[in-house]
RNA sequence: GGCGGCUUGGCGGAAUUGGUAGACGCGCUCGACUCAAAAUCGAGUUCUAACGAGUGUGGGUUCGAGUCCCACAGCCGCUACCA
């Protein structure tokens, strides 16, 4: 379609407005200390999850959340807030490096090119970002502070008593040895079985395994020496401190389940002089423990196995090691296991119970050993049946349920001093007994593991650490950023040796030290990027105290709500659900450490979180290249314009909902925008758009004919304002369509009232609204004008239409004066012709009048 | 298996606190304009010839239920032997 044939000339005015916003820095956000900073304005920090600038460019999923935050940001700005709405790039990551392996091109080069594409695409959508605050996690200045924060973790430990992080310097002062301190740092070296991917050439966090495996990569368990972050120390706070956050309950639950707190007890069993501790959430069933199971990797297995069982046990362990986690975790598969020949003593009754090893017990959770109570645990029940182990009832079910395999609470039986106690009381009593007799103790267990933080890849932040004589040391702050040297060959070696170790000159230092050659995972940058936006060019601190305090201050909204002050720094964070347990958990952890150390004043990073729903292809399937259902935003902008794309994505349905793309729907909103355009302009003989003769600068309120129009306009201002506040964008657009239809039908369009529509349309379709406003003689940009308020008086009508129901069914409608009292309304309702028909010959039992809404007559 | 979400016309969806179910848009039908078509404008469009029926299914609470309660089914997502 040539521009002339397009329903309105978006292709010429959209880039012009974008250029003007750029040139005038319309969306620049002043910081405290700036000349144009106005301390009387409340702050509003609205954040998008910044994109990874992939080679394939922007996806239609990106503008969904970005348009939502843009609407909120533009509106808040016009409502008198100092709005921080920044954008940046999560630019470290595996794809750039894999591209480098193929082409030999340095990842920095591809990254710069990809960022340029993303930026061009985002600018073409007219988002009101403060581009002066743009950041990229790969910028040396950004890397510097990522490394600095890592060193904060490295030089801190978790003080159990205070429940917070403190500098290890305090321990040094108390005379702790280096070894003792190294054992408690929040960043520490640990040799453990990790998720190693030979074809990616790196280890992965537990949370990442599934993602890469589903992309076809191999991930196997392998013991390696790795850097870990002690996130487990924060498990309880990460659960508790979710409470005051305004997040979807589903996401909170997902995090809680991921952290996986369970309460129970550790119980000590004796095996040939060894003490083997098990963890159980059901210590009340201790009398029913008829055997014990150790994980195949359990350290005592070799020692306790008898000579007769040695071969079988070793064969089983070997078979388990060969199995991938996926195979091992397959629920449908039969239980397997081998008897060790050893017996353990049940501490509560002295019974000798056989000790088995089985792969349904994991070394990584609890103590790697369990007491098996087959009568009241599904897995143990299944295992006992298969291997014909004894099953002893110790819980009496509440109802008449079968006790075999009964796992719910009941009453203790066959349990000595616990008999008759309900499960909860039995638990408390047995734990007291265990503690008094030194045979166990109360224990809270979490599923969350420490965060495996090192990677062996090139395109990430190097660890700012060196090694000498087997000890690690921090690189001084003055030497940050520590940048990786360029390499000629980025190919993984297939061994766990980090890629950076190839750069001998870089690794070996003159004093005989060597550099740590691991790099950080992509999460590192995204753990704190939102902080950097607040003070992006600060070269002496990651964020100045002043900027930190200002952008952390409780938002006006939180204060106005009268509730507790906001605990999170960012007022609104919008992004996809896929980050529910990774980025959102990691960032909370870092923020808490920084808070504990006094670097940030809030306890949480993100006060309010909203998840946008996935946009599916036209076929209702997830968009993917292989299905051929991918929609490219560039094509949509070219055909229909940026405003149409923005508006369509908001009109599709509720932001949080999963919804399919429909190109016909884009046409629909494009037609709506064209209708708005044609209210203002008509084409003359020469094919030029000139101001429509319908547009008249006349007062509206005193003309009876225009009263209905006035009402619609003010309803629209009211509804759009409210709908933006509750992020119900689809209904706001629907209301603007109603308003536009009213203007289209009107013979005269009063200029001031039409401008009100442009005002509220502005955050949704910024280019079109500014263009029409300017062409109609508006001198200031809408973006710089105050947000309009509606006139309550314009909304009231003299008469109301009420619905009349008989026995709950709609039968008639009546019109009454707006101030009619209940008796008048009731009389009018009973007199309505269709109501008379329905009630004829019946007795009126009751009449319910809902003022302003309806009348229901109960008759029989 | 566990947890979460969803289920309203031919389609996307609306109904904010229990009060006119189907706003708005798409599609479709008819009309105006046109030699004709596109575009645009206007009228109509839950089903049913009608009586009536109707928000996944069955029950309940209520004067009144898409909305609240109980049970069930289907679809989607996440998670997975967590002791």
């Amino acid at each position: 379609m040539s521009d002339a044939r397009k329903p309105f000339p978006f292709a010429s005015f959209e880039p012009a407005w974008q250029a003007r916003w750029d040139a005038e820095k319309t969306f620049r956000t002043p910081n405290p200390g700036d000349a144009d900073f106005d301390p009387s304005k409340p702050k509003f920090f609205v954040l998008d999850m910044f994109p990874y600038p992939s080679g394939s460019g922007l996806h239609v999923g990106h503008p969904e959340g970005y348009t939502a935050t843009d609407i909120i940001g533009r509106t808040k700005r016009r409502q008198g807030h100092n709005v921080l709405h920044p954008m940046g790039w999560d630019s470290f990551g595996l794809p750039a490096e894999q591209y480098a392996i193929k082409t030999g091109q340095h990842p920095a080069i591809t990254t710069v090119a990809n960022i340029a594409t993303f930026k061009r695409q985002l600018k073409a959508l007219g988002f009101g970002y403060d581009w002066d605050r743009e950041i990229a996690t790969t910028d040396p200045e950004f890397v510097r502070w990522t490394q600095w924060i890592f060193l904060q973790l490295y030089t801190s430990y978790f003080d159990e008593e205070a429940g917070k992080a403190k500098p290890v310097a305090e321990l040094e002062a108390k005379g702790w040895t280096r070894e003792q301190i190294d054992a408690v740092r929040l960043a520490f070296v640990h040799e453990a079985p990790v998720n190693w991917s030979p074809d990616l050439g790196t280890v992965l966090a537990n949370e990442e395994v599934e993602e890469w495996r589903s992309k076809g990569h191999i991930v196997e368990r392998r013991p390696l020496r790795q850097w870990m972050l002690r996130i487990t120390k924060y498990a309880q706070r990460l659960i508790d401190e979710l409470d005051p956050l305004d997040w979807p309950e589903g996401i909170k639950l997902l995090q809680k389940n991921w952290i996986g707190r369970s309460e129970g007890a550790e119980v000590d069993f004796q095996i040939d002089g060894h003490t083997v501790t098990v963890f159980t959430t059901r210590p009340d069933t201790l009398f029913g423990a008829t055997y014990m199971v150790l994980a195949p990797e359990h350290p005592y297995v070799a020692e306790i196995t008898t000579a007769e069982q040695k071969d079988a046990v070793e064969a089983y362990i070997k078979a388990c090691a060969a199995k991938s986690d996926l195979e091992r975790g397959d629920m449908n598969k039969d239980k397997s296991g081998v008897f060790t020949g050893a017996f353990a003593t049940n501490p509560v009754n002295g019974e000798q119970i056989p000790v088995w090893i089985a792969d349904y017990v994991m070394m990584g959770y609890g103590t790697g050993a369990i007491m098996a109570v087959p009568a009241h645990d599904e897995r143990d029940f299944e295992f006992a049946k298969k291997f014909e182990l004894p099953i002893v009832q110790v819980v009496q079910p509440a109802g008449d349920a079968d006790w075999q395999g009964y796992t719910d609470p009941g009453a203790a039986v066959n349990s000595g001093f616990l008999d008759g106690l309900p499960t909860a009381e039995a638990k408390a009593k047995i734990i007291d007994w265990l503690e008094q007799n030194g045979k166990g103790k109360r224990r809270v267990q979490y599923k969350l593991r420490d965060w495996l933080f090192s990677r062996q890849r090139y395109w990430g932040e190097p660890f700012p650490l060196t090694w000498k004589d087997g000890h690690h040391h921090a690189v001084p702050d003055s030497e940050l950023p520590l940048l990786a040297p360029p390499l000629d060959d980025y190919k993984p070696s297939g061994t766990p040796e980090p890629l950076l170790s190839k750069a001998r000159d870089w690794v070996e230092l003159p004093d005989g030290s060597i550099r740590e050659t691991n790099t950080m995972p992509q999460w590192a940058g995204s753990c704190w990027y939102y902080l950097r936006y607040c003070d992006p060019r600060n070269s002496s601190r990651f964020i100045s105290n002043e900027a930190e305090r200002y952008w952390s201050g409780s938002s006006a909204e939180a204060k106005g709500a009268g509730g507790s002050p906001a605990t999170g720094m960012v007022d609104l964070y919008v992004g996809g659900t896929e980050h529910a347990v990774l980025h959102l958990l990691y960032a909370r952890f870092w923020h808490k450490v920084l808070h504990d150390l006094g670097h940030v004043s809030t306890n949480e990073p993100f006060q309010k979180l909203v998840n946008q729903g996935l946009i599916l292809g036209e076929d209702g399937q997830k968009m993917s290249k292989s299905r051929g259902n991918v929609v490219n935003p560039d094509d949509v902008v070219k055909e229909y314009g940026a405003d149409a794309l923005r508006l369509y994505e908001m009109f599709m349905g509720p932001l949080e909902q999963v919804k399919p793309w429909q190109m016909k729907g884009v046409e629909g909103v494009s037609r709506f925008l064209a209708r708005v355009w044609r209210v203002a302009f008509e084409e003359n003989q020469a094919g030029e758009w000139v101001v429509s003769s319908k547009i008249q600068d006349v007062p509206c309120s005193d003309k009876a004919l225009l009263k209905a129009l006035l009402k619609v306009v003010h309803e629209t201002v009211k509804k759009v304002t409210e709908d933006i506040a509750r992020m119900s964008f689809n209904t706001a657009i629907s209301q603007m369509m109603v308003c536009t239809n009213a203007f289209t039908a009107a013979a005269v369009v009063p200029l001031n009232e039409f401008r009100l529509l442009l005002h509220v349309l502005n955050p949704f379709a910024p280019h079109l609204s500014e263009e029409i406003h300017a062409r109609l003689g508006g001198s200031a940009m809408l973006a710089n004008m105050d947000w309009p308020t509606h006139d309550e008086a314009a909304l009231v009508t003299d008469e109301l239409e009420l619905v009349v129901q008989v026995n709950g069914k709609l039968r008639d409608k009546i019109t009454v004066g707006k101030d009619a009292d209940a008796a008048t309304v009731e009389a009018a309702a009973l007199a309505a012709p269709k109501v008379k028909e329905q009630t004829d010959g019946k007795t009126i039992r009751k009449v319910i009048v809902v003022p302003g809404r309806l009348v229901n007559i109960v008759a029989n």
Side-chain angles (χ1 to χ4, degrees), chain A residues 23 37 264 427 605 824:
Chain A
F37 177 77
K427 278 185 190 176
T824 314

Side-chain angles (χ1 to χ4, degrees), chain A residues 146-471:
Chain A
T146 305
Q147 290 173 329
W148 180 84
I149 295 171
F150 171 81
L151 289 179
Q152 301 306 301
L153 288 147
Y154 174 78
T155 54
S156 303
Y157 74 105
F158 191 82
D159 183 316
E160 302 281 355
E161 243 168 73
K164 59 182 248 184
K166 289 184 176 176
V168 293
E170 292 182 11
L171 301 177
E172 270 165 41
K174 285 187 203 161
W176 285 42
T177 65
R178 176 151 66 180
E179 283 72 18
Q180 286 174 314
I181 289 171
D182 285 351
V184 298
R185 291 177 191 275
L186 290 181
F188 64 105
V189 180
H190 186 59
E191 168 107 20
V194 296
N195 310 298
W196 160 253
S197 172
D199 55 332
L200 285 169
T202 187
V203 300
L204 298 169
N206 289 329
E207 292 87 337
E208 295 172 301
V209 171
E210 214 32 62
E211 183 193 340
W212 289 102
R213 215 175 241 160
S214 69
K215 289 179 184 167
H217 295 278
I218 303 159
V219 183
E220 53 192 39
R221 301 289 287 179
R222 173 168 184 162
L224 286 174
R225 196 216 64 178
Q226 295 293 330
W227 282 95
M228 311 281 288
L229 297 186
R230 225 178 280 280
I231 190 172
T232 50
K233 290 289 178 195
Y234 283 81
Q236 194 58 49
R237 278 176 61 187
L238 286 167
I239 293 173
D240 295 342
E241 291 163 13
L242 274 173
D243 271 352
L245 301 183
D246 185 8
W247 287 21
E249 283 307 315
I251 300 292
K252 286 190 184 182
L253 209 60
L254 224 48
Q255 286 215 350
K256 283 183 192 168
N257 291 345
W258 187 268
I259 297 166
R261 179 193 159 101
S262 46
E263 290 177 27
E266 281 183 350
V267 185
D268 296 335
F269 285 70
Q270 297 300 321
I271 309 176
D272 301 336
H274 294 290
T275 299
V276 175
T277 304
V278 304
F279 173 70
T280 177
T281 55
R282 292 297 300 274
D284 60 298
T285 62
L286 185 53
F287 284 89
T290 54
Y291 64 101
M292 176 189 255
V293 186
L294 305 183
E297 304 90 343
H298 196 283
Y300 287 169
V301 171
E303 291 174 57
I304 63 165
T305 302
T306 58
E308 307 87 74
Q309 293 298 315
K310 193 164 181 262
D311 290 349
V313 165
E314 281 177 1
Y316 184 74
I317 291 171
K318 217 173 158 187
C320 288
K323 274 193 228 171
S324 73
D325 276 10
L326 205 65
E327 286 166 329
R328 224 179 127 161
D330 195 346
M331 260 279 274
N332 300 326
K333 259 182 25 31
D334 273 350
K335 291 272 182 295
S336 66
V338 175
F339 178 43
T340 60
F343 287 84
T345 308
N346 186 333
V348 78
N349 57 12
E351 257 174 52
Q352 294 294 297
I353 58 173
V355 179
W356 287 61
I357 61 170
D359 66 359
Y360 81 92
V361 174
M362 308 286 150
M363 196 57 226
Y365 181 74
T367 59
I370 63 157
M371 63 177 215
V373 184
H376 308 293
D377 181 279
E378 269 176 56
R379 295 149 300 176
D380 298 345
F381 186 53
E382 211 182 302
F383 191 84
K385 276 193 294 185
K386 176 156 179 187
F387 293 101
E388 296 177 337
L389 291 157
I391 300 172
V392 176
Q393 180 190 12
V394 288
V395 178
Q396 181 60 41
D400 52 1
D402 184 5
W403 63 265
Q404 298 216 22
Y406 178 84
T407 57
D408 291 333
V413 291
N414 303 327
S415 296
F417 58 90
L418 299 179
D419 278 353
L421 290 177
T423 297
E425 287 174 37
K427 278 185 190 176
K429 189 161 184 182
I430 188 73
I431 293 173
D432 288 346
W433 184 89
L434 288 167
E435 289 185 340
Q436 280 158 20
N437 292 275
K439 302 204 164 164
K441 57 183 186 221
R442 187 175 307 277
R443 170 76 193 261
V444 174
Q445 179 68 41
Y446 301 91
K447 277 201 279 183
L448 185 72
R449 320 281 170 83
D450 278 327
W451 177 11
L452 173 57
F453 194 66
S454 47
R455 300 292 183 273
Q456 291 69 49
R457 301 310 307 256
Y458 174 76
W459 196 228
E461 303 88 345
F463 279 68
L465 298 170
T466 57
W467 289 80
K468 194 170 188 183
D469 305 328
H471 292 289

Side-chain angles (χ1 to χ4, degrees), chain A residues 97 201-202 225-227 453-467 472 475 482 484-485 487 496-509 513-520:
Chain A
E97 192 170 344
T202 187
R225 196 216 64 178
Q226 295 293 330
W227 282 95
F453 194 66
S454 47
R455 300 292 183 273
Q456 291 69 49
R457 301 310 307 256
Y458 174 76
W459 196 228
E461 303 88 345
F463 279 68
L465 298 170
T466 57
W467 289 80
H472 39 74
V475 166
L482 173 66
L487 291 181
E497 186 66 17
L499 266 183
L500 285 181
S501 51
K502 289 183 181 182
R504 306 303 319 173
D505 293 351
W506 182 81
V507 173
E508 288 162 12
L509 297 172
S513 304
I514 57 164
R515 290 198 188 281
E516 169 65 49
T517 51
N518 278 297
T519 52
M520 299 186 202

